[in-house]
Structures are given as C-alpha cells and as structure tokens.
Amino acid sequence: MTASPIVEIRQLSKTYPGAGRPAVDGVDLAIAHGRIFGLLGPNGAGKTTLLSMLCGLLPPSSGSLRIRGQDVRHQDAAIKRRLGLAPQDLALYPYLTARENLAYFGGMLGLHGAALRRRLDYCLDTAGLNDVADRRVETFSGGLKRRLNLVIALLHEPELLILDEPTVGIDPQSRRFIHENLKRLNAEGMSIIYTSHYMEEVEQLCDEVAIIDHGRIIAQGSVDELLAAPREATIELRTSVPPPPAAQAALRALAHVHTAEFDGKFVVLTSAAPQTVAPAAMRLLHENGVETTSLSFGAMHLEQVFLALTGTRLRN
Ligand SMILES: Nc1ncnc2c1ncn2[C@@H]1O[C@H](COP(=O)(O)OP(=O)(O)OP(=O)(O)O)[C@@H](O)[C@H]1O
Ligand SMILES: [Mg+2]
C-alpha cells in the first residue's frame, strides 16, 4: 500500500446558480492511494456536489482537483476510466434485467464480446446477483438494486471507486454484504471513497475520515485521531433502580461531567476526567438510594465527535 495521493483537492468551491451560499466552500483534501476514505456529513452538507466535481460531471466555481496529478478539468478519457462512480440516485433501467443493465452500461464503456461477458460474470458474482440475473430490476428489493448500482461502477475495473451513500435504505444483511466486498476490493488494491450519514459504518470500514458540514471540512484524520481529539471518555453505569430526577440533576451538575444521558437503569456520562468522575458519581447515586451494579469506561464514538464539532446530530 503506497501513501501517494490519488486525489488532491485545493480550495475547491461550488456555488449553484442563484444560490445564496456555496454548496462546497474552500475544501482542501488529499486522499492517499489504497485507502478506504470516508466522507461523512448530514443532508445537504455538500457530499454529492463534491463527488460530482471529482468525477468531472459538474464544473467547480473555483479551486483545483487532481487525480493522480492530472487536472480533472483537462482530463482525458484515460483518467475517466480510472474512476467508477456509484451515484446516490440509482442509475438503473427498471424494465431491463440485471444482466441487461450491466450489458448496456458495459457497452457504453466500450466493452464487448468475451471481455464484456467476463466482466458481467464478475459483477453478478460480486453483487451476489447470480440467482436473479435474468429478472427485471423493477422486481428487485432496495438492497438488490443498490448492489447492482454498485457493481455497474466496477465494470471497467476502476482504480478509484466512488460510492455516494451506497447503503442508504437497505437491510443490514445487504449492508454487511457490501462492506465485506468493499474490504476485499480494497485489499486487492482498489482505492475507495465512501460517503455516508452512518457513523458506525464509517468507523468500521474507513481508514481515514473527513467530516463535512455546510460545504466545509470541519475535521479530518484517521478514525483513531478523530476519536482521540476530544480527549473524552464515556462512563457507563448500571444501577439497581432508575435514578430519580434529583439524582439525575445532581449527576449533571457534578464537576468534570460534560454530558449525562439516562435510560432506565442505564446511565452514560462523558468526561475528560473519568477516573475522578466515576467514584464521585457512584457516591452521589448511593446518597440518593441508588446502588451501582456495574461500571465501565468506553471510548467516544464518531457520533459523539460529530455532535461535539457541529452541535447537531447526524440526520438519516
Ligand atoms: N442542482 C442543484 N442546484 C441547486 N442547489 C443544489 C443542487 N444540488 C444540490 N444543491 C444544494 O447544495 C447543497 C449541497 O447539496 P448536496 O446534494 O451536495 O449535499 P449532500 O451532502 O450530498 O446531501 P445528502 O446527504 O442529502 O445527499 C444543498 O444545500 C443542496 O440543496
Ligand atoms: Mg448526496
């Protein structure tokens, strides 16, 4: 795995005609070759706009975009062939079968004969669609459609696979299936850009993450770096009875406690000083007639990092 950038973005901005504010606003990003790079952000953050510019589908208002050192605006067909985009809005023909869809898009890419048949077999296999290959796409579940949409981007064996919310609205099984395939493709050398609203999947799948909000990158780094940044931990307590309101208020007001959440006999505190807070919280609960039956410390999750950075929860 080399660390040379496959994508370099400098001061990239896009303002749609008539829009009051930019959809992408001064973005700088370098994405190393061979990684699974996660782009995480809520609705309207600018993810699709950014990817559309990267694929040469939308002209930037300003800034530069390079793929393997070559300016995207002057890109020739050879560079375009290195990219595979699975768009957020499904690009499928509902009245055609899965195999016919693949054959159609393969033909557009100049594949034919034995080469096309080889890629069709590969894609149907990778998507786990062999059993339904000759069924019309209109009869497919959301998960099957997503899988087909994804492998169409693999037809021409791209070097960089760009996925715009590939798991939106699908069942957990299909999601797991897609993730396992992406890990395998990445292990075989493919670079991947993956956008999502879902914290857990970015946390599990990606080597590096950029968090985008209102068109700006608000944090970037390895998942470990981002999780370490706030230097907070969670303190999770199980209690003998649900803490009464007075105990809850006292816990919230306890020194070094940042946030406190309550769910029945389950209490989650966040703090930069968990070693100090845990015994104080247990003592305070005891004084309120509540015993602690178990105590554990946990790391912050990306969801909490996002909340700390933006003040909003990720919307699905
Ligand atoms: N074709 C367009 N014309 C005008 N404004 C647009 C257009 N496409 C997107 N926008 C606006 O640009 C901003 C960024 O949208 P974009 O679709 O890039 O966000 P996103 O992060 O992909 O959101 P989502 O998670 O909902 O897909 C939004 O405010 C959106 O309303
Ligand atoms: Mg989008």
Side-chain angles (χ1 to χ4, degrees):
M1 222 188 246
T2 64
S4 66
I6 188 162
V7 173
E8 287 174 276
I9 297 174
R10 297 255 177 284
Q11 283 302 302
L12 186 71
S13 294
K14 176 71 189 182
T15 304
Y16 286 104
R21 57 185 292 180
V24 167
D25 192 1
V27 165
D28 287 305
L29 271 185
I31 301 177
H33 175 75
R35 299 279 162 78
I36 305 185
F37 187 92
L39 184 63
L40 190 67
N43 286 123
K47 303 180 295 297
T48 299
T49 303
L50 183 61
L51 297 187
S52 302
M53 290 191 279
L54 183 60
C55 295
L57 300 171
L58 187 71
S61 302
S62 60
S64 73
L65 265 152
R66 291 173 179 279
I67 291 171
R68 280 257 182 249
Q70 289 185 269
D71 197 312
V72 166
R73 260 175 297 185
H74 311 129
Q75 73 174 235
D76 52 34
I79 310 175
K80 261 198 175 143
R81 282 187 64 94
R82 289 179 159 175
L83 307 181
L85 169 69
Q88 178 171 8
D89 295 325
L90 295 170
L92 301 170
Y93 289 96
Y95 301 121
L96 300 182
T97 67
R99 195 189 303 279
E100 287 164 350
N101 266 279
L102 283 163
Y104 173 77
F105 287 106
M108 300 271 283
L109 290 159
L111 290 168
H112 48 81
L116 177 60
R117 276 196 301 280
R118 190 175 59 80
R119 293 310 294 167
L120 284 190
D121 288 345
Y122 173 85
C123 289
L124 288 170
D125 232 28
T126 300
L129 293 174
N130 280 315
D131 293 345
V132 294
D134 297 308
R135 254 173 54 189
R136 285 197 221 193
V137 165
E138 63 181 345
T139 68
F140 281 14
S141 68
L144 293 186
K145 284 182 192 158
R146 274 284 154 205
R147 277 147 66 166
L148 179 59
N149 192 59
L150 196 160
V151 291
I152 285 171
L154 292 176
L155 271 166
H156 60 301
E157 302 180 70
E159 184 183 354
L160 173 63
L161 178 62
I162 300 172
L163 306 169
D164 198 354
E165 314 227 13
T167 57
V168 123
I170 68 174
D171 56 287
Q173 236 171 322
S174 277
R175 183 178 304 167
R176 212 166 25 245
F177 183 87
I178 286 176
H179 283 189
E180 273 158 24
N181 269 305
L182 294 179
K183 283 184 186 159
R184 187 175 51 76
L185 289 166
N186 178 244
E188 290 167 8
M190 191 178 282
S191 304
I192 297 173
I193 299 178
Y194 189 102
T195 81
S196 182
H197 289 167
Y198 300 118
M199 283 286 176
E200 327 86 83
E201 62 175 19
V202 167
E203 211 167 333
Q204 286 160 13
L205 196 66
C206 300
D207 308 308
E208 282 201 36
V209 183
I211 299 180
I212 185 169
D213 197 26
H214 299 301
R216 296 196 177 151
I217 304 293
I218 55 170
Q220 194 194 346
S222 70
V223 170
D224 290 342
E225 279 165 1
L226 286 188
L227 293 177
R231 305 208 174 283
E232 289 211 354
T234 62
I235 303 134
E236 301 173 6
L237 304 124
R238 285 189 183 277
T239 53
S240 53
V241 290
Q248 294 188 13
L251 276 177
R252 280 207 174 87
L254 199 61
H256 306 296
V257 168
H258 184 198
T259 65
E261 287 181 86
F262 301 91
D263 184 10
K265 295 191 221 171
F266 196 55
V267 180
V268 181
L269 309 173
T270 61
S271 171
Q275 310 288 345
T276 311
V277 163
M282 288 169 66
R283 201 158 44 240
L284 192 153
L285 284 166
H286 177 72
E287 287 162 10
N288 283 271
V290 181
E291 300 311 323
T292 302
T293 57
S294 79
L295 164 71
S296 61
F297 296 106
M300 295 262 288
H301 284 257
L302 267 177
E303 174 73 49
Q304 290 155 320
V305 173
F306 187 85
L307 183 62
L309 288 169
T310 65
T312 50
R313 281 196 183 279
L314 277 180
R315 290 153 278 159
N316 283 334

